[in-house]
């Protein structure tokens, strides 16, 4: 499924990884040739140059020209390097055999789609180790794979899918009882690999260390730490080579003005968890579990229920999931993770939340299949639509522009398909994938369940195809962008956020009087 839906057109995160892959393949760490036009990158001035004034950095002063990226120093990838290190062999082989778009598709499948499949198998093994029945464990794995934001991020070259797979693999190694320090060391290696791909996975790695101590005592915890040491050494050496010290990261040298402003607040952008943000992460229409991945919320409820029965592994999983959500709520300015789908910064908690699905579904009784079905529909929307500010603007894009199966598009229609042809292909492909998902989740599902599952993508795809043929793609895309900006302007929480949205409107060439009036009205409200 992830291969069929793989999004091969790169965004900021993908460009960062692709630029580092090109640099590594050429024997370099700096990504200077790719720097013009990039956003997610770090800048290190030449040795002996004066350090930037902290007050100027906090105010967003750029070290070099933001458009041309012209400067005497060097540019480096703006995030953790682990995903690029992982894909380097495939990149070296693939670029000799595939065109650029085909290489990006192959890297997305290998770096995101395949890890999702591995993660689903690992989640099933972990669920079995906590006492779930085989059928319940299979349903847990399927719901995790196609009913959470693991699916949308398995269709894009972000690090999240690989991180989730590595953490799920570590859980599958740690949870079974029995001797063997080798599996504790292997789990530590997977956790270290995850942190090398995403620094914030250190929180989940600490939870896995607690689980290693619970299952294997001091020796198990020691073996776990030893397993993670090579990856810590690798990342430390990379930091030292690029930024001058093992403890200095790309975020200490970020070249993007917005990112530098965010990182300047608190400790690398973290302050204290805010109750309103935590509530939004659980129930909100923008990133809330309830509206983007209800299965994750069921898993959270199940962890609470299992912990009350004094299950130590479930208690550790609950603690990790709760701390992950609190850490997301502590992000001062970027808790919503930009133009994304679901609580992206909490994606690493998904393998832990999945352990609560058997107990959570037992609590729901007959409502369980309907909740999982809704969750699959939400995850499918995130995997097949252009992401908006929230779930409603994401659906708006699908309603007017169609569902997209971009992996199949590239293979069948080429890298630049006509929007109408892409919408027709996407509608058919997503309908088939919906039937496959239902087959995996509920082999004995009645015919009416298949009718609902097949009707939804056909309805959305058919409406979009009709509108694309009648109105045209350019007018519809403008309509979608205007609606997304209008919703974002109404929800802007600060004058700085409103300024960025207005700048985005101007860059998009949207001289829309209604949007201008919205900006002015919202600015007045915020000023008061």
């Amino acid at each position: 499924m992830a291969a069929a839906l793989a999004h091969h057109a790169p965004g900021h995160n993908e460009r960062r990884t692709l630029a580092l892959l090109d640099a590594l393949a050429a024997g370099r760490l700096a990504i200077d040739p790719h720097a013009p036009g990039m956003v997610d990158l770090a800048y290190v001035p030449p040795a002996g140059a004066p350090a930037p004034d902290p007050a100027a950095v906090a105010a967003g002063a750029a070290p070099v020209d933001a458009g041309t990226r012209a400067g005497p120093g060097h540019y480096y990838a703006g995030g953790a390097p682990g995903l690029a290190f992982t894909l380097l062999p495939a990149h070296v082989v693939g670029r000799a055999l595939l065109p650029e778009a085909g290489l990006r598709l192959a890297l997305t499948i290998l770096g995101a789609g395949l890890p999702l499949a591995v993660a689903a198998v690992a989640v099933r093994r972990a669920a079995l180790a906590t006492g779930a029945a085989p059928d319940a464990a299979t349903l847990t794995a399927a719901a995790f794979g196609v009913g959470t934001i693991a699916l949308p991020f398995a269709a894009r070259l972000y690090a999240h899918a690989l991180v989730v797979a590595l953490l799920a693999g570590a859980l599958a190694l740690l949870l079974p009882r029995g001797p063997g320090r080798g599996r504790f060391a292997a789990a530590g290696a997977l956790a270290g690999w995850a942190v090398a791909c995403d620094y914030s996975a250190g929180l989940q790695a600490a939870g896995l260390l607690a689980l290693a101590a619970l299952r294997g005592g001091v020796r198990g915890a020691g073996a776990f730490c030893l397993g993670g040491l090579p990856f810590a050494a690798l990342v430390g050496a990379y930091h030292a080579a690029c930024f001058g010290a093992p403890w200095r990261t790309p975020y200490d040298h970020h070249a993007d003005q917005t990112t530098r402003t965010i990182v300047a607040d608190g400790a690398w952008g973290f302050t204290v968890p805010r109750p309103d943000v935590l509530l939004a992460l659980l129930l909100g229409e923008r990133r809330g579990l309830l509206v983007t991945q209800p299965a994750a919320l069921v898993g959270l409820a199940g962890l609470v229920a299992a912990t009350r029965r004094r299950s130590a592994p479930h208690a550790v999983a609950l603690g990790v999931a709760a701390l992950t959500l609190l850490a997301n709520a502590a992000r001062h300015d970027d808790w919503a993770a930009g133009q994304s789908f679901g609580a992206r910064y909490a994606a690493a908690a998904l393998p832990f939340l999945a352990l609560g699905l058997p107990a959570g579904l037992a609590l729901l009784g007959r409502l369980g299949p309907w909740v999982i079905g809704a969750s699959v529909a939400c995850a499918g929307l995130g995997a097949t639509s252009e992401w908006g500010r929230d779930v409603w603007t994401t659906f708006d894009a699908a309603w007017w522009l169609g569902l997209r199966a971009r992996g199949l598009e590239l293979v069948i229609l080429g890298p630049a398909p006509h929007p109408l042809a892409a919408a027709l292909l996407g509608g058919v492909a997503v309908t088939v994938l919906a039937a496959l998902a239902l087959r995996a989740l509920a082999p004995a599902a009645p015919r009416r369940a298949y009718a609902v599952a097949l009707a939804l993508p056909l309805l959305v795809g058919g409406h979009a195809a009709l509108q694309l043929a009648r109105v045209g793609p350019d007018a519809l895309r403008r309509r979608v962008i205007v609606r997304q900006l209008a919703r974002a302007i109404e929800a802007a929480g600060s004058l700085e956020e409103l300024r960025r949205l207005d700048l985005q409107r101007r860059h998009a060439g949207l001289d829309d009087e209604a949007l201008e009036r919205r900006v002015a009205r919202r600015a007045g409200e915020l000023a008061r």
Side-chain angles (χ1 to χ4, degrees), residues 19-98:
L20 182 54
L21 279 169
D22 281 345
L24 293 172
R28 296 180 280 102
L29 296 177
I31 60 169
D32 298 334
H34 299 272
M38 281 187 64
V39 172
D40 201 354
L41 74 175
Y43 173 73
V44 178
D53 176 38
V57 172
V64 294
D65 181 81
T68 63
R69 298 296 184 195
H74 289 293
Y75 288 93
Y76 299 94
L83 179 59
F85 288 162
T86 303
L87 291 174
L88 181 58
H91 175 76
V92 171
V93 174
R95 69 177 185 170
L97 302 174
L98 297 170

Side-chain angles (χ1 to χ4, degrees), residues 361-376:
L361 289 172
L363 291 174
L364 288 176
R366 293 184 179 181
L367 286 177
W370 295 101
V371 174
I372 296 300
S375 201
V376 171

Side-chain angles (χ1 to χ4, degrees), residues 343-364:
R344 177 163 73 89
Y345 290 147
L350 289 176
F352 300 89
L353 289 169
L355 296 181
L357 274 172
L361 289 172
L363 291 174
L364 288 176

Side-chain angles (χ1 to χ4, degrees), residues 264-526:
D265 286 327
W268 290 283
F270 290 88
T271 54
V272 295
R274 289 179 289 166
D276 60 323
V277 175
L278 183 60
L279 184 63
L281 289 170
L282 293 173
L283 307 176
E285 63 182 13
R286 188 175 186 189
R287 299 288 180 261
L289 302 183
L290 179 64
V291 296
T292 60
Q293 45 180 344
L297 197 59
V298 173
L300 183 61
L303 288 178
V304 173
T307 300
R308 293 181 65 182
R309 295 196 295 267
R310 300 186 178 181
S311 169
H314 287 100
V316 172
L318 177 60
V320 172
L323 287 174
T324 302
L325 289 168
L326 288 171
N328 196 159
R331 289 178 178 262
H332 187 263
D333 285 328
D334 70 332
W335 66 270
Q339 199 88 339
S340 180
F341 187 84
R344 177 163 73 89
Y345 290 147
L350 289 176
F352 300 89
L353 289 169
L355 296 181
L357 274 172
L361 289 172
L363 291 174
L364 288 176
R366 293 184 179 181
L367 286 177
W370 295 101
V371 174
I372 296 300
S375 201
V376 171
C378 293
L381 174 66
T384 58
S385 179
E386 295 185 13
W387 292 344
R389 181 184 181 277
D390 51 32
V391 69
W392 310 120
T393 49
T394 299
F395 177 78
D396 194 59
W399 184 245
W400 295 105
L401 299 176
L403 302 169
R404 305 291 292 270
R406 295 182 186 272
L408 286 178
E409 281 179 21
L410 180 63
V411 174
I412 297 175
L413 302 177
H418 189 279
L420 178 56
L424 290 170
L425 175 63
V428 173
V430 174
T431 301
V432 173
L433 293 176
L436 292 175
L438 182 58
R439 178 74 175 174
L441 287 162
R447 290 183 179 180
R448 64 177 180 274
Y450 278 94
V452 173
L454 301 183
L456 287 175
L458 286 175
L459 175 63
V460 174
H463 175 269
L466 180 64
Q467 295 302 319
L468 285 165
R470 187 174 68 87
V471 180
D474 293 339
L476 288 178
R477 181 165 296 280
R478 178 185 173 87
R479 178 185 299 178
V480 168
I481 294 173
V482 167
R483 290 187 180 202
Q484 289 181 347
L485 278 175
R487 193 169 181 87
I489 288 167
E490 291 296 332
S494 67
L495 288 171
E496 175 60 24
E497 182 182 359
L498 189 64
R499 183 194 67 79
R500 290 198 298 265
L501 289 170
D502 193 44
L503 188 62
Q504 182 181 343
R505 176 187 68 82
R506 295 173 185 272
H507 284 169
L510 296 176
D511 296 325
D512 187 276
E513 292 185 3
L515 281 181
E516 292 177 1
R517 289 196 298 270
R518 284 177 183 267
V519 170
R521 184 177 70 251
R522 186 59 180 158
E525 292 171 354
L526 291 171

